[in-house]
Amino acid sequence: MSPASELWYVYGITPATIDLRRAPEGVEDAPLELCVDEDLAAVLSRLDGEQYSPGEIERGTENVEWLAPRAVAHDRVLTWLSDRGAVVPLPVFSLFSTEEAVRKTLRERRVELRSALRRVDQGREYALRVYRIDAELAGVAAEHSPRLAELEQSAAAASPGQRYLLERKLDTERKKELHGIGARIAREISAALRPFAVEAVETRVSARAARPDAEGTLILDIAFLVDPGRLEELQRALTEIVTRHGDRGFRFDFTGPWPPYHFVQPSDDR
């Protein structure tokens, strides 16, 4: 690979004091290097420009077998860096034509990058997704809805003919109520866990993401920036919530720590 055909692949921005000894290899098993400008450093690898031209990347991203190992390598580097301190993650395939172009970015975005590093240095990112399982929730929905509880009591006390009509109405009302119950539980979970985090960023659940799948219907997608000293408190609070709602219409997926993907851009949802 000649110098003229090189590209600088940047994984993220860190303080200039970062030590890359024992760092993992990056994309294409390339070693990691630093491009330092004053107190900031870009963590990068040098790649073949012909293999990573815009056309090659566009074709490659349509091929999972090509994309997957590169995305894994990108995340592996960022995870290693975040395990050792503050890092501002850059998107996969953040490519620069020259080292000077990298330095220029560090200079022009210095204030923003310093602020982002201070922000993410306060904790580690953890993610929580909560799913609504309608088949389970339907059986206990009356516990969350006085309206359904009243209909169930009326159906139980009715004559056989009336009971049939009331049970049909109850089934219809129950299906309508599930969405509202899920939304309310999602708000309660978010409110209960936010006090244990430095910040929280909630991703709005789109209509597409909310469609039922093998996991259920997604009702809450939230990331927390957690001071390590408060992680156990958050985990205990979450355990209480899971004990209360798990296997009763809801599933929980709590993961992390992750590189701080959700906390490097300005957010109004804190």
Side-chain angles (χ1 to χ4, degrees):
M1 179 172 62
S2 66
S5 68
E6 285 182 333
L7 285 175
W8 277 253
Y9 182 113
V10 179
Y11 303 92
I13 310 301
T14 70
T17 53
I18 186 71
D19 184 352
L20 294 184
R21 285 178 294 183
R22 300 184 180 179
E25 294 177 326
V27 173
E28 300 284 358
D29 296 326
L32 302 188
E33 303 177 35
L34 292 180
C35 176
V36 176
D37 193 89
E38 294 187 16
D39 58 332
L40 299 177
V43 180
L44 56 84
S45 294
R46 302 188 194 200
L47 300 180
D48 189 319
E50 294 181 359
Q51 293 183 18
Y52 285 87
S53 67
E56 290 297 321
I57 291 176
E58 184 176 359
R59 283 188 289 273
T61 52
E62 296 175 354
N63 180 350
V64 174
E65 292 184 0
W66 184 91
L67 178 61
R70 290 159 176 82
V72 168
H74 184 88
D75 186 69
R76 179 175 62 237
V77 170
L78 287 172
T79 298
W80 186 88
L81 291 170
S82 65
D83 285 344
R84 284 152 182 80
V87 58
V88 176
L90 266 60
V92 66
F93 304 125
S94 293
L95 295 163
F96 293 78
S97 57
T98 65
E99 187 172 3
E100 179 53 33
V102 179
R103 293 183 190 280
K104 182 180 179 182
T105 296
L106 293 177
R107 289 193 296 269
E108 292 179 347
R109 298 180 59 190
R110 186 176 310 283
V111 173
E112 172 193 346
L113 291 169
R114 284 173 173 169
S115 176
L117 285 169
R118 286 194 298 270
R119 181 184 181 190
V120 300
D121 196 38
Q122 299 176 88
R124 300 297 306 277
E125 177 172 324
Y126 293 83
L128 173 65
R129 285 189 167 191
V130 181
Y131 299 86
R132 191 185 75 232
I133 312 299
D134 288 352
E136 291 182 3
L137 184 57
V140 296
E143 298 177 12
H144 302 279
S145 170
R147 169 66 174 161
L148 291 180
E150 181 181 349
L151 284 173
E152 284 188 357
Q153 291 174 359
S154 298
S159 63
Q162 289 178 319
R163 184 180 304 122
Y164 173 76
L165 295 175
L166 286 172
E167 286 179 346
R168 288 190 62 182
K169 183 177 181 180
L170 180 60
D171 287 341
T172 300
E173 291 296 323
R174 186 181 289 117
K175 291 176 182 177
K176 292 179 182 178
E177 283 284 291
L178 295 183
H179 177 82
I181 292 170
R184 186 170 66 251
I185 295 298
R187 291 193 297 270
E188 292 175 359
I189 293 170
S190 175
L193 296 179
R194 282 173 180 263
F196 302 103
V198 177
E199 292 186 45
V201 173
E202 189 170 332
T203 300
R204 181 173 297 178
V205 178
S206 67
R208 181 181 181 86
R211 292 175 183 170
D213 60 16
E215 296 292 334
T217 301
L218 180 64
I219 62 168
L220 180 63
D221 185 359
I222 188 168
F224 300 99
L225 187 67
V226 184
D227 182 316
R230 302 209 67 185
L231 177 60
E232 288 190 7
E233 291 180 82
L234 183 143
Q235 290 174 320
R236 283 197 296 270
L238 178 58
T239 297
E240 293 177 2
I241 292 170
V242 173
T243 300
R244 187 161 61 250
H245 294 295
D247 296 325
R248 292 177 61 79
F250 299 94
R251 292 288 185 277
F252 298 80
D253 182 18
F254 182 69
T255 59
W258 296 102
Y261 296 111
H262 288 87
F263 298 97
V264 294
Q265 299 294 333
S267 172
D268 294 329
D269 183 12
R270 299 185 183 181

